[in-house]
Structure formats: C-alpha cells, structure tokens
Amino acid sequence: MRNRAKFIHRNLLSILIIVATVLIGTSFSPAVSAGNLATDSLRSDLVRVFMFQDYNTRVVVTGTTLLGLAAGLIGTFLVLRKRALLSDTLSHATLPGIALAFILMTLVSGDGKQLLPLIIGAAIFSVLGTLSVLAIQRFSRLKDDAALGIVLSVYFGLGVALMGMATRMDAGNAAGLSSFIYGKTASMLFSDALLIAGTALVAAIACILFFKEFSMVCFDADYGMTQGWPVARLDFLMMALVILVTVIGLQAVGLILVVALLIIPAASARFWTFRLRNMLWLSGAFGALSGFVGSGVSALMANLPAGAVIVLTASLFFIFSMVFGSARGLLHIGMDRLRLGRKIMDENLLRDLFEWSETNPNEGTPGIEISALKHRRSWTQSALKKTIRRLHRQKTINVYSENRVNLSKSGRLAAFEVVRRHRLWETYLITHADVAPGIVDLSADRIEHVLEPELIRQLEEKLEAETKEKLLSSPHTISFTGADGHRTPKMTR
Amino acid sequence: MAHTRKTAGSKKNYTQAQAPLCVKDLTVAYHRKPVLWDIDLTLPEGQLIAVVGPNGAGKSTFIKSVLGLVPRASGAISIYGKSYESQRHLVGYVPQRESVDWDFPVNALDVVAMGLYRQIGWFRPVNKNHRKKALDSLEKVGMANYAYRQISQLSGGQQQRVFLARALAQDARLYFMDEPFAGVDAATERAIISLLKELKSVGKTCVVVHHDLQTVPTYFDHVVLLNMRLVDAGPVETVFNEENLKKTYGGRLTLLTHALNEYAKTPQFPSNTD
Amino acid sequence: MEWTFIDTWIVLVGALSAAACALLGNYLVLRRMSMMGDAISHAVLPGLAIAFLITGSRDSLPMLVGAIIVGVVTTFMIQGIDRLSGLDRGASMGVVFTTLFAIGLILIRQAADHVDLDPSCVLYGAIELTPLDTVELFGQEIPQAAITSGLMLMVNLAFVIVFFKELKITSFDPALATTMGFNANVLHYILMTLVAATTIAAFESVGSILVIAMLIVPGAAAHLMTDRLGWMLIISVVFSVLSAFLGHLSAITIPTWFGFQDTSTAGMMALIAGLLFVVVFLFSPRYGVFSRMVNQFLLGLRIVGDDILGFLYRYHELAPANAAPVPVPEIQNALQTDIPVKVMIWNLRRTGLILRQNGGYTLTPSGKKAGKGLIRSHRLWESYLCNVMGYCNTDVHRHAHQFEHFTDTKLQEELSQVTGNPDYDPHNRKIPM
C-alpha cells in the first residue's frame, strides 16, 4: 500500500507532464497545419473529434484506443519474456494466411473479403510461424535471431506470392487486402471496433487472472517448473494472446505497425516503475493513449495515415519516458550519477580536512590553505571550489580569510563518520582480501549493511589498535556500532 | 584399489523408501555430449550435502535433471520414496543467480512471494498473509530491510539471499541449491551457512552445489564427488580425501571420457545379455 | 510458358541482388544479428522518402545517401537504446525500426503528390518491370537495375574479400578481435552501412521482402552445410542465385497449374529460398535433421552387426569345436531385436563375415577376426573399469559393452597399456590377442 502511494506520489508530476504535453500537442499540431484557420473552427474540430460527436470518428477512436490498451497489456509480458521480435515474425507470418483465406473464400463463395475467415487464416499461419521458429531452434544449430529472420522472410515471401495470385484473380476484388499490411484505420467499422473491444476485454481479463503466473514464467520459468506450474502451457497462452492481438490489430494498423503497439508502450512503461503491476497498467495506458491521440490527430488532419500516427505517438511517449522516466529515465539516472559524484567529492574533501586536522591538532589554527588542499588529491580547481562552496552552504566547513578552510563542529562529526567507514573498509580489504576479493558493495553507506556486526567489531578493534591515539582522542564520542545503525530501512537510492 | 560405492549415510542405513533423494542409473546428455553418466546415488536425510566437482562436471545438470528441468536420457529419481512429480511440494530450489534477469521489474518481496505461488494456487493474488510469510523468510536471511527494494539495486550477495528466502518460503523438506556461494560477499556467505545449519537443525536436507573445496569439511556433513560420473559419495570424513579428489579433478580420465563421448552418440538399442 | 530475354534479365537482376545480400547475410547470421537486416530494411523507408521529398525524383544517388544515413542512424539508435535503457536488444530493435517505418509511411504519404511512389513498391519491388528501364552500355541495352545491383555485388564482394580475416575474427570473437587491434565497432558500422546500401540498391528492383529473405536465409542454410567460412560464403551465393532462378521460374509457372495467372517474382524467390533452406535443414550431410536420423539408424545397425559377431565369437569360444551353427532365432533372442538382426545377418553374409551352414550361421575366418577384436575391446574395457577405475562391483559388463563399438586398435593399445597388458579380464575370461 505504502509503496503504491509512493509510486503515485513519485510519478504524479510526470503523469501531469504527460497529460499536459498530450493536450498541448494535440491542440497545437492541427493549429500549425491549419495555419490561418479560425480558432473557433479549430476548437469545434477538436471538440468534434475528442468528444466523439462524429459517429465515424467515435468508432475509430474507440477502436484504436482499445487496441492500444490490449496491445500494451499483453506487450508487457512479451517484452519481459524477451520475445519482442517474435511478435514481428508472427505478424509477418500472417500474410499467407490472409491471402490463402481470401483465395479460398473467393473460390468458394465469390466474396473473399470476409473478416472472420481472413482472421482465422492469419491466426493459423502465425501459429505455424511460431512453431517453425521453435523447430528451427530445436533441431538446428541456428540461433534465435536466424530462426526469427528465416520464418519472417519466407512466410512473408509466401504471403506476397499468394497475394500476387489473389490480385491477379479474375473473380473477387483483392484491392483491400493490402490494408492488412499497412492498416486502414480510418475505414474501421463498428463490427471491427466491437471485435477489438472483445479482444481488449480478453487480454485484460487474462492479464489480471494470470498476473502471478505470467510474471513468474517471465522472471524464472525454471523455478516455475519445479513448483509444478505448467510453464509450457502458460507460455503458449501468452503467445496465443499476442497472436490474438496481432491478428485483430492487423487491419487497424497493419502488420508491421501492430508490432510497434506491442513493443513500444511496454518498453516506455519500464522507464517509470520497478513494479510489474504498475508497469502493466502504465503500458496499457500508454497504448490506449497512443491509440486515442493518434487516431484523433489523423482524424483531424487529412493525409496522415492513422496507423503511422498512432505508432509515432507511442514513440513520442517512449522518447519522453526514456528521458524523464522516474525509475530508469536517463535524466533520473544522470541525476543519480551526478549526486553520487558530488557525494564522493564531498567525502573526499571531508576526509582530507579530517586527516589534516589529525596531524594539526591545535584548535587555534584557522584551517588549511585551499592551495595546500589541492595538492593532497588530484583536484581540479573548479571541482574543489564547487565542493567547498557546497560544503560551506551545508555549514559543514568554515571558510576563513586568506583562503583557509576548516571543518565546522557538525562537519567534524560527519567527517568522522566518513573517515571511520573508509578506514574500516581499508582494514577489511587488507585483512580479508582472500575472502571477498572485490565483490563487496563499497558504495554502501553503512558498512553494517554489508558486513555483519561481529566482523565489524573485530575490524574496529584492529583499527583502534593501529590508530589508537587519533581515533580515541576524537572530540566526539560516537558509538562505533551505531545504536540504530542497520535498523534504518533504506528505501530510496 | 577397488572400493565400494556407498549409498547410505553415516549414522543410519537408509532404505530407499525413506531417503530424501534416490537416483538410479541417471544419464543425461546435452546435444549428444554426455554430461552425466550412470549415476547411482542415495542421499541421507537431515544433512548438509555438498556436490563437488570441476567445471563442466555436470553438478548443476545433476540438480536440474533431478528437478526435471533437463531431460534425462535414462534413469529414475525418487524423492522420499515416491516420484518427484508427486513430491514437488517437499522440494525447494535455489537456481544459479545468473539464471534470471535481475533488471526484472519486481522487488525482493515479490520474488520471495513466488515461493508461495503454488500454495496460493491459480488466479488468486498474493494477499497480506502471503506477504507476511515472505517477509518472515526475508528476515531469516537478514534481508527484511530490503523487502521493497527493486532487485537490480541489490548487491550480488543480497540477490542470492533473496533467492534463498524464496526457497525458504516454500517450506520444503529437501532443498537443492545451485552454487549459492558463487560470487557472494563474506556476510552473505556467513548468512547462508548459518541458514543451512538452522535448516539442518530442524531436520531439513540441503543439497548444495559447491565450488570451494577448502570449505567443504567445515560446512558440510556429506559430500557427492561428481565428474560426469559419480566418483564417490558419503560422509565427508570418509569420502573427502585426496585420492578421491584426484579422481574427481584430474588424471586417468581421458580414456573413459573419450569412450563416454563416443557412447553418447549411440541410439538406444537393446543390449544383449551375457 | 514462354521464356524470353525479359525473363533472363529478371533472373539476372534477381540473382545479382540476391547474391549481394547473401554475402553480407553470412555475417549477420554468424554475428547473431539476423534481425538487424529486417530492422534496417524497414527503417530505410524514411531515408528514401526524405530523399524523394528533397530531390523530387527517384534518382539512385540521393536515395543511396539517404539510406546509408538512416542505416547508420538506425544502428546507432538501436545500440544507444540497448545500452541506455536496459531493454533487451530485441525490444530496442522493435522500438526503433517500427518508429522509423511509421515516419517513413507518413513521409511517403506526403511525398505521394510529387512522386509516383507507394509503400507496396518498397515491399514487393517491381522486378518484373526492371528490364524495361534500360540504359545503353557498351552498345548494349542493359537494365538500370542490373547495373545497380551488379555494382552493389562488386562492392560487397570486395568488402568480404578485403576484410575476410578481420570479419572472420570480429564475427567469431569481438572481444578477442579488439585486444588484437581490430576495431570490431568500425567493421560493425561498415557492415551495417553496406546492409543499408544493399537494401536500397535492391529495393527498387526486388523489394525489401526479398532483401530480408536473401540477407538471412542463404547464409543460414550455408551455415548448416559447412563449418568453413570461405565455403559458407560460396554456398550462400549459390543458394541465392538458385533461389532467384527457381523463384522466377515458379512465379511464372506454378500459379498457372492451379488456373491462376503468374504471381510476384520477389515473393516467389523468397519462398524458394525458404524451401531450399528446408531441404538443407532436413538433408544437410552433417547438420540435417534427416541425415542425423539416418546416421543414427546406420550406427544402430552397425552396433547390431557388431553384437552378432561378438555373440557368435563367444559362442564359438564356449562351445566345442564341432558345435552346430547358431540358428537365427537364437541370435535374435540373444540380442533381443528381430528385424535389425535379420538385416545385419544379410549384410554380414554379403560382406563375407559369416557363413550359412545347416540352417544356422558361423563366423568365417575374417568374421572371427572381427569378433575377436570386439571381444578384446570388451574385456580390456572391463579390466580398465575394474582394475583402474575401481568399478568392479557395478555393472562393468554393460559399460564395456557400450564402449566396445567405439574402440579402435589404437584405443585398444592404450587400454592394454594402462591395464598392464592383462591376459584375463576381471571375470577370468581370456582376453584374445
């Protein structure tokens, strides 16, 4: 519970930014192209599209939104199972199914363009494609990538050949078939939207029902097997859902771009959270939002293929997430790194000052000259200056005239902690080098988190024996073991 | 020169019906390279058992084949006298740390809760009770403070402890651990050892793939020496000696290895009886 | 079917494009980057569209430049996302190429007013029309596409020949290559650039679908045929040329069998490549599924033959000198198989190792020699397993029986030496010399 609240809290700003960006983006992009159109008509256009006043738009926007939701949900597991490109292969593999179903239906009934047979044909061939990938992986020495590529290109080639035959058939009109490759969002019918709604419902229910099972298969399938879960069947169920979303999404956005809807929202969601449940919903939301905004924008502007706009919207979310994501976004990681760098510099300066004061114990001196400090370590001028300024602001050091600095009272306390930890680590590495060569987590704030108390006590004894005078004569009495020391949970990085 | 292969522990002579693990004629081949060949083994109950051998000796494969994760070319496994499939609930598994993606979006508590999934059953979500149980398991490995940390932010040793906690949550009688000491810090090593001792004290059996020969006598009671075939198995004090180690780790194996490699290519035809 | 000079040109253009792709494809397969071919060939779409939009024409040069830029950008983007985001490579690829493809679709729609271009022609190409667009060269009317793809083939050929050694080592072990001073990254980018350029050079004539197929399938098939890189390159080129020829042939013939007109040559070429792959997958001498099964079966039969010889030898060893020949049912009973025994008895008789006498079989002198060798191996193994390895109480016979079939005279010598040239095995039976 606490965690969820924390998540929402941490992401609130980001969510607001997303919503704002979307709103601004959608209201400005038509404005730019519309140029001198009166704002009134623009507003009425916006209202018309996004308030679903137009029946056609209502169908298309609802359909694509739900498709995005379904793809986002199931795509989460696809990406986490590291099978993103399998979706590419099986969506390409649908083409011969579509063409064959068209030819057969044309020969049988004269009308090839019946949705259900086409979808069934597509599904059959994507299952066949998946099985072919498995067969190549299992029975030859080719790796996954080659298996995926072979099946993708050969099935697609077969599809193209069959399409070629279909389009040159005397009977039937194959003109609309290419919509399965590129999508024909704008001409979505109510029945199509209904089908998508059904798919989205199935995907959502499956993701809720099998949340626990799917996440286990994605994380550690072997372990699931030892527990007796039917991992292979769960795996198949996941892939079946992917296939379902793919074949349903084919004619909405086309067989190449439906892959994007499966992969991109899930990939975007990863930047925002460390929890699978949140990632699932976020991914669904990203997908739905992409569908909503994308189809809306393309309804407002002629000459923009809706499928491509939907994918582009999803990609914009991706870029945004990659930069601003609150969990793994580049900015976030960069800030972390910056903070860590600063912390290291702060600690280095504190240590330098502490060590200097150990050798110059008279209280009266106004501190060490900055230029002398610079030679103790390979400081650059600017880094040293910045660090001094920072620490001065925190009141951990006093800056005197003649460019002299010294630790303040509180700074002395902090520096003592830093020096103690550093020396404990040094002693540990010297005495226990054989036990844990370089594996220990040196950046841990408290040595207690990594080493057990008894070992620390031993190290302290050793350390005290060596540097008896200095640490014992420390002006502050600090309990070495720290009363609350390793009890404090460390929640944030 | 000749010696017998012991199939029993030091204190009692366990019959196969009681033994936590009884392996008969186990042979495993990966892509026709034999990894394990004709293993016959019975392990005693309530002991800490090390599986030792050089790299590529099939230690992990041994555990995986017992757990049905790797297909067996031949052989039968019984857990407490019954088939593994019917005794799954008695068996806990700690896989190698490298076997999963630690960037996966779950926290330590989620991973540990996976140990309870079978108990929770189909469709039902993890509830407060389960989370409490998982937290208890984390407490036992000294990781309660890290329950809500994302697993990628844990150090290698901490990740290993999370895996141990997951197996603990299963509340099994027989634990298989695949290299739990590999690449962990000293604190984790100690935590694992005290955990193993605690498990032993409540009568659990732990089969641990181990790579550090020095610590075998201090950590374990029983040892299984493995190098494609079973070199020897028995109590540490009787079996863990220089001669057996030499047999396990080197020398005089070339002919046999050569023959095994060839043999793995054969189809299974009925053999004649002499 | 009428084969005209047009068909010859179509096949030639197809073969040149396919061979150009196949050469590079080998390295994609070996570097486990096959899907990069797929990704790049989708991703070059915006490069094309931008080139169109800027120049307003379908000139080759701007397209080539656009494609190369986009190809390199794609590679950079995929690697960047891969490294920065913690997503796996597949997902990074999926994000990048679908995004670029979407951008390409939008741009093409914008360009459609100016240039005659639709996405289908990128996918399927129009190889059937290439012979119509000719230029004059050396007094000959040569299709433009043949020249483009021919040049591309030359460039790729030069690349794989000049950098043969470097490509080999960077494909096999990039880390080692880097320590040896070969820059794996530079080669990687050159390779990706060439893939993009080849895609473009081929796009006009054969379409991206054939490019993907030819980048991956011939290389993969060749990988199943040989372990030598040089041969792999040659085989893949042969496969690609074969697919081009058979592909066009079947495009204009096969549909007519079912009462259709002809169909897309590019699609058919990809399909034929796939069928060739299936054939290799099943029947490749070393790695084919079927070949392995046959080899297994033959090996099994050979073992049964060995067992018959061993059984007869033991029989003669124990039985009095004038004992009756062994009837077939008895051998079958001893070996516990029926049909294989019959087959191998026929075969052993044919090769003169056994002899039919009074409704039974005995060993000929050469058969006796063969049987003796087997029994010697068997008993040496028993001695080895018992005396050297210390497995006396276990079923040494069974293991010795498994190993005897793979023991040549050299191994016999080694065994004999290690066991101290024993005369008797652990069961106290004589080890024949």
Side-chain angles (χ1 to χ4, degrees):
Chain A
M1 273 299 104
R2 192 179 46 174
N3 228 52
R4 187 168 306 161
K6 201 176 178 66
F7 168 78
I8 292 171
H9 172 75
R10 275 178 71 181
N11 292 322
L12 194 60
L13 187 68
S14 329
I15 292 168
L16 281 178
I17 294 174
I18 296 176
V19 173
T21 322
V22 167
L23 289 181
I24 293 167
T26 48
S27 51
F28 274 111
S29 55
V32 170
S33 75
N36 52 4
L37 255 176
T39 23
D40 280 355
S41 89
L42 176 68
R43 192 172 300 147
S44 71
D45 267 3
L46 271 177
V47 168
R48 182 171 54 77
V49 169
F50 288 103
M51 290 293 142
F52 303 113
Q53 285 174 355
D54 183 6
Y55 172 80
N56 223 9
T57 320
R58 193 156 61 208
V59 169
V60 171
V61 172
T62 315
T64 49
T65 305
L66 288 173
L67 180 68
L69 174 73
L73 289 177
I74 194 64
T76 306
F77 294 109
L78 184 76
V79 167
L80 287 179
R81 192 88 174 96
K82 302 205 187 304
R83 283 193 179 147
L85 288 183
L86 182 58
S87 70
D88 189 29
T89 295
L90 58 83
S91 80
H92 278 83
T94 55
L95 194 61
I98 294 166
L100 208 58
F102 175 82
I103 291 172
L104 287 179
M105 290 313 290
T106 308
L107 292 179
V108 171
S109 68
D111 177 18
K113 270 191 280 182
Q114 298 175 34
L115 190 57
L116 199 63
L118 293 181
I119 283 178
I120 292 173
I124 289 174
F125 269 79
S126 68
V127 171
L128 280 179
T130 313
L131 293 179
S132 309
V133 171
L134 290 179
I136 293 175
Q137 281 173 356
R138 175 140 164 59
F139 295 112
S140 83
R141 60 171 177 163
L142 295 171
K143 308 296 180 298
D144 305 16
D145 65 307
L148 290 175
I150 291 166
V151 172
L152 181 149
S153 56
V154 172
Y155 274 66
F156 199 66
L158 174 65
V160 168
L162 288 172
M163 286 290 238
M165 286 161 69
T167 48
R168 285 163 224 196
M169 246 161 51
D170 298 330
N173 175 17
L177 276 189
S178 70
S179 73
F180 281 96
I181 300 180
Y182 306 105
K184 218 164 182 88
T185 320
S187 60
M188 193 185 282
L189 301 174
F190 180 69
S191 60
D192 301 339
L194 216 56
L195 201 60
I196 292 174
T199 308
L201 194 67
V202 170
I205 289 176
C207 286
I208 294 168
L209 273 186
F210 293 100
F211 177 78
K212 178 165 105 276
E213 288 79 6
F214 283 174
S215 61
M216 187 184 55
V217 170
C218 290
F219 177 64
D220 193 351
D222 270 6
Y223 184 75
M225 258 163 87
T226 66
Q227 279 205 329
W229 293 99
V231 169
R233 257 174 279 170
L234 284 167
D235 228 0
F236 181 78
L237 182 63
M238 267 193 283
M239 288 329 294
L241 287 169
V242 170
I243 290 173
L244 179 70
V245 171
T246 307
V247 298
I248 298 296
L250 278 183
Q251 50 154 24
V253 292
L255 61 79
I256 294 158
L257 295 182
V258 75
V259 177
L261 277 187
L262 282 163
I263 299 175
I264 299 179
S268 315
R270 281 212 79 176
F271 292 109
W272 295 99
T273 175
F274 287 129
R275 297 301 305 280
L276 184 51
R277 195 176 291 278
N278 298 335
M279 181 181 162
L280 186 66
W281 298 131
L282 260 178
S283 171
F286 276 137
L289 216 52
S290 309
F292 181 75
V293 174
S295 57
V297 167
S298 80
L300 280 172
M301 300 170 69
N303 218 17
L304 276 186
V309 177
I310 292 171
V311 171
L312 219 52
T313 316
S315 308
L316 289 179
F317 283 135
F318 176 84
I319 294 168
F320 180 81
S321 306
M322 186 162 153
V323 176
F324 297 103
S326 60
R328 303 159 61 126
L330 294 182
L331 222 55
H332 186 78
I333 291 173
M335 290 293 281
D336 260 11
R337 215 163 276 170
L338 198 68
R339 234 174 276 146
L340 183 68
R342 276 190 193 154
K343 200 179 128 200
I344 289 172
M345 282 199 271
D346 288 357
E347 292 191 351
N348 283 346
L349 188 65
L350 286 177
R351 252 172 57 209
D352 287 347
L353 287 174
F354 190 87
E355 276 159 14
W356 175 81
S357 70
E358 276 182 320
T359 50
N360 299 276
N362 6 352
E363 293 279 329
T365 50
I368 180 175
E369 279 173 39
I370 291 177
S371 55
L373 211 50
K374 199 179 157 196
H375 295 298
R376 294 180 77 99
R377 201 177 288 274
S378 54
W379 287 103
T380 63
Q381 186 71 34
S382 67
L384 183 59
K385 262 194 180 148
K386 273 185 199 158
T387 311
I388 288 175
R389 215 176 305 145
R390 204 162 44 236
L391 288 181
H392 185 55
R393 255 201 316 269
Q394 294 168 9
K395 298 206 164 51
T396 39
I397 58 173
N398 297 324
V399 180
Y400 301 99
S401 54
E402 297 164 32
N403 278 338
R404 283 172 178 275
V405 288
N406 204 352
L407 289 166
S408 71
K409 265 231 159 71
S410 64
R412 199 163 170 72
L413 208 70
F416 179 79
E417 258 307 309
V418 170
V419 171
R420 167 183 165 267
R421 171 155 47 91
H422 183 76
R423 290 188 183 162
L424 279 176
W425 273 125
E426 271 179 354
T427 320
Y428 173 74
L429 287 179
I430 291 164
T431 52
H432 290 77
D434 54 324
V435 183
I439 303 161
V440 285
D441 182 10
L442 289 174
S443 65
D445 282 349
R446 289 165 188 279
I447 195 165
E448 295 89 345
H449 278 151
V450 183
L451 302 182
E452 65 206 82
E454 195 183 338
L455 183 64
I456 291 180
R457 221 164 294 134
Q458 283 171 15
L459 291 175
E460 278 163 352
E461 275 164 27
K462 204 168 158 48
L463 192 63
E464 274 174 50
E466 282 165 9
T467 58
K468 203 164 213 150
E469 307 283 325
K470 288 138 204 168
L471 275 183
L472 285 184
S473 64
S474 153
H476 307 279
T477 47
I478 300 168
S479 148
F480 270 124
T481 35
D484 63 339
H486 70 296
R487 279 277 149 214
T488 321
K490 271 189 55 184
M491 296 291 297
T492 52
R493 307 215 262 169
Chain B
M1 192 78 193
H3 61 87
T4 54
R5 274 200 271 174
K6 286 222 180 70
T7 56
S10 52
K11 290 164 197 155
K12 279 190 249 168
N13 226 350
Y14 284 90
T15 63
Q16 287 173 9
Q18 294 166 302
L21 174 66
C22 180
V23 176
K24 274 235 167 296
D25 286 344
L26 175 68
T27 297
V28 179
Y30 271 140
H31 301 294
R32 308 210 199 158
K33 245 187 110 49
V35 187
L36 290 172
W37 173 64
D38 211 32
I39 310 281
D40 272 302
L41 184 67
T42 303
L43 293 178
E45 178 151 25
Q47 301 215 342
L48 303 181
I49 299 154
V51 179
V52 189
N55 283 337
K59 294 169 298 199
S60 296
T61 309
F62 172 66
I63 284 187
K64 285 186 182 159
S65 63
V66 166
L67 295 172
L69 299 175
V70 165
R72 309 190 274 264
S74 71
I77 307 290
S78 71
I79 307 275
Y80 295 106
K82 287 189 198 144
S83 76
Y84 165 67
E85 281 69 26
S86 63
Q87 302 279 53
R88 272 211 172 96
H89 56 286
L90 298 176
V91 179
Y93 174 44
V94 181
Q96 274 182 26
R97 191 155 49 85
E98 293 80 33
S99 66
V100 302
D101 170 19
W102 288 96
D103 268 338
F104 202 80
V106 286
N107 62 29
L109 193 71
D110 294 332
V111 174
V112 177
M114 284 181 189
L116 300 164
Y117 277 8
R118 188 78 275 200
Q119 201 178 319
I120 299 167
W122 285 100
F123 308 135
R124 297 224 301 278
V126 179
N127 66 24
K128 208 182 265 174
N129 275 336
H130 303 132
R131 260 190 286 266
K132 169 105 190 23
K133 262 191 198 170
L135 207 54
D136 287 347
S137 299
L138 273 173
E139 180 82 60
K140 278 189 203 152
V141 294
M143 288 283 296
N145 294 330
Y146 296 84
Y148 299 102
R149 273 251 198 138
Q150 205 270 330
I151 50 174
S152 68
Q153 295 169 14
L154 300 172
S155 74
Q158 292 169 334
Q159 291 173 345
Q160 189 66 59
R161 284 193 255 172
V162 169
F163 259 7
L164 280 168
R166 179 175 69 171
L168 279 185
Q170 272 182 275
D171 198 24
R173 267 173 79 186
L174 169 62
Y175 288 95
F176 289 97
M177 306 182 183
D178 201 344
E179 303 247 10
F181 295 105
V184 300
D185 53 87
T188 300
E189 179 149 351
R190 269 160 247 232
I192 297 175
I193 276 307
S194 68
L195 181 73
L196 286 177
K197 297 224 157 96
E198 197 186 314
L199 286 173
K200 186 193 168 187
S201 71
V202 291
K204 316 261 181 185
T205 309
C206 300
V207 182
V208 182
V209 171
H210 197 54
H211 62 286
D212 181 13
L213 288 180
Q214 282 186 339
T215 49
V216 167
T218 44
Y219 290 175
F220 296 98
D221 315 310
H222 199 89
V223 66
V224 175
L225 293 157
L226 208 63
N227 188 355
M228 272 167 78
R229 69 211 200 286
L230 184 68
V231 176
D232 209 342
V236 171
E237 55 270 25
T238 56
V239 169
F240 197 70
N241 53 41
E242 202 173 325
E243 195 201 326
N244 270 337
L245 285 177
K246 256 189 200 151
K247 271 191 187 167
T248 314
Y249 281 84
R252 296 199 301 204
L253 281 171
T254 45
L255 290 179
L256 186 62
T257 319
H258 174 81
L260 284 173
N261 277 321
E262 286 297 320
Y263 167 60
K265 294 176 190 157
T266 50
Q268 295 294 314
F269 264 71
S271 63
N272 69 350
T273 41
D274 203 10
Chain C
M1 181 197 76
E2 271 179 72
W3 189 274
T4 63
F5 77 98
I6 288 187
D7 296 299
T8 312
W9 276 125
I10 289 175
V11 168
L12 193 70
V13 169
L16 288 172
S17 308
C21 294
L23 274 179
L24 300 181
N26 287 304
Y27 294 102
L28 293 184
V29 169
L30 287 177
R31 288 164 173 242
R32 305 182 186 184
M33 302 194 316
S34 310
M35 290 304 271
M36 270 310 257
D38 171 50
I40 286 186
S41 56
H42 279 103
V44 291
L45 202 57
L48 283 181
I50 290 170
F52 285 145
L53 279 175
I54 292 174
T55 64
S57 74
R58 287 176 60 162
D59 280 347
S60 296
L61 196 66
M63 286 196 325
L64 208 61
V65 174
I68 288 175
I69 293 171
V70 173
V72 173
V73 166
T74 310
T75 318
F76 267 116
M77 277 167 81
I78 290 173
Q79 279 192 340
I81 292 181
D82 197 18
R83 200 165 300 156
L84 292 176
S85 70
L87 288 167
D88 67 307
R89 203 181 178 78
S92 316
M93 259 187 224
V95 171
V96 172
F97 86 79
T98 54
T99 302
L100 288 172
F101 189 76
I103 293 174
L105 281 183
I106 292 175
L107 288 176
I108 281 185
R109 181 69 73 86
Q110 305 309 313
D113 303 338
H114 316 291
V115 199
D116 170 35
L117 177 76
D118 73 305
S120 314
C121 98
V122 178
L123 270 185
Y124 312 140
I127 194 169
E128 294 86 346
L129 303 178
T130 48
L132 305 178
D133 178 19
T134 59
V135 289
E136 181 127 350
L137 203 71
F138 310 122
Q140 288 252 312
E141 292 275 306
I142 295 175
Q144 170 94 47
I147 297 172
T148 326
S149 39
L151 281 176
M152 207 59 236
L153 176 61
M154 301 289 226
V155 171
N156 291 352
L157 198 61
F159 174 65
V160 299
I161 290 174
V162 170
F163 292 105
F164 185 79
K165 188 167 83 273
E166 287 81 0
L167 278 168
K168 191 176 187 173
I169 188 149
T170 50
S171 301
F172 174 67
D173 187 347
L176 176 72
T178 309
T179 60
M180 287 171 67
F182 296 110
N183 195 329
N185 259 336
V186 168
L187 268 182
H188 175 78
Y189 284 113
I190 297 178
L191 185 63
M192 288 302 130
T193 310
L194 282 179
V195 168
T198 311
T199 307
I200 286 307
F203 129 82
E204 209 179 356
S205 51
V206 299
S208 68
I209 174 57
L210 189 60
V211 172
I212 303 170
M214 290 304 161
L215 275 174
I216 303 168
V217 184
H223 191 41
L224 293 184
M225 290 288 285
T226 176
D227 289 326
R228 303 287 301 270
L229 182 59
W231 279 111
M232 192 173 154
L233 292 174
I234 294 168
I235 293 173
S236 68
V237 169
V238 171
F239 274 136
S240 60
V241 172
L242 217 54
S243 325
F245 174 66
L246 294 176
H248 182 60
L249 191 64
S250 42
I252 56 176
T253 54
I254 290 179
T256 57
W257 301 346
F258 303 100
F260 292 93
Q261 294 168 27
D262 60 347
T263 182
S264 151
T265 292
M268 224 44 190
M269 286 178 177
L271 180 62
I272 294 294
L275 292 179
L276 285 176
F277 174 80
V278 171
V279 171
V280 170
F281 176 73
L282 293 178
F283 301 107
S284 150
R286 195 177 307 170
Y287 297 106
V289 173
F290 187 72
S291 321
R292 276 190 307 206
M293 271 163 55
V294 168
N295 286 340
Q296 283 281 95
F297 180 72
L298 291 180
L299 187 63
L301 278 183
R302 205 199 88 199
I303 286 174
V304 170
D306 282 358
D307 286 348
I308 294 173
L309 292 176
F311 172 72
L312 289 177
Y313 185 86
R314 285 198 183 86
Y315 180 84
H316 285 303
E317 206 178 39
L318 294 175
N322 57 351
V326 192
V328 176
E330 212 164 301
I331 301 176
Q332 286 174 334
N333 195 29
L335 267 64
Q336 292 177 340
T337 46
D338 290 341
I339 311 285
V341 168
K342 274 190 183 148
V343 172
M344 284 320 286
I345 280 181
W346 170 80
N347 190 44
L348 291 173
R349 234 177 108 183
R350 198 176 55 84
T351 50
L353 292 173
I354 58 173
L355 206 66
R356 190 178 165 84
Q357 277 177 350
N358 314 332
Y361 286 92
T362 58
L363 291 170
T364 62
S366 57
K368 211 168 225 161
K369 202 168 151 235
K372 191 200 266 177
L374 283 164
I375 298 300
R376 177 170 163 78
S377 303
H378 181 96
R379 292 184 182 158
L380 278 173
W381 269 115
E382 285 188 336
S383 309
Y384 174 77
L385 287 172
C386 180
N387 299 343
V388 180
M389 300 304 294
Y391 286 131
C392 289
N393 64 329
T394 54
D395 205 355
V396 282
H397 168 78
R398 194 154 59 82
H399 303 317
H401 187 76
Q402 289 160 350
F403 299 155
E404 69 188 36
H405 306 290
F406 313 102
T407 313
D408 50 14
T409 42
K410 194 168 151 273
L411 191 56
Q412 271 182 9
E413 275 312 303
E414 280 179 55
L415 280 171
S416 179
Q417 257 176 31
V418 175
T419 47
N421 303 313
D423 290 331
Y424 291 91
D425 75 357
H427 304 292
N428 234 355
R429 275 182 299 240
K430 188 160 170 46
I431 297 174
M433 277 304 283

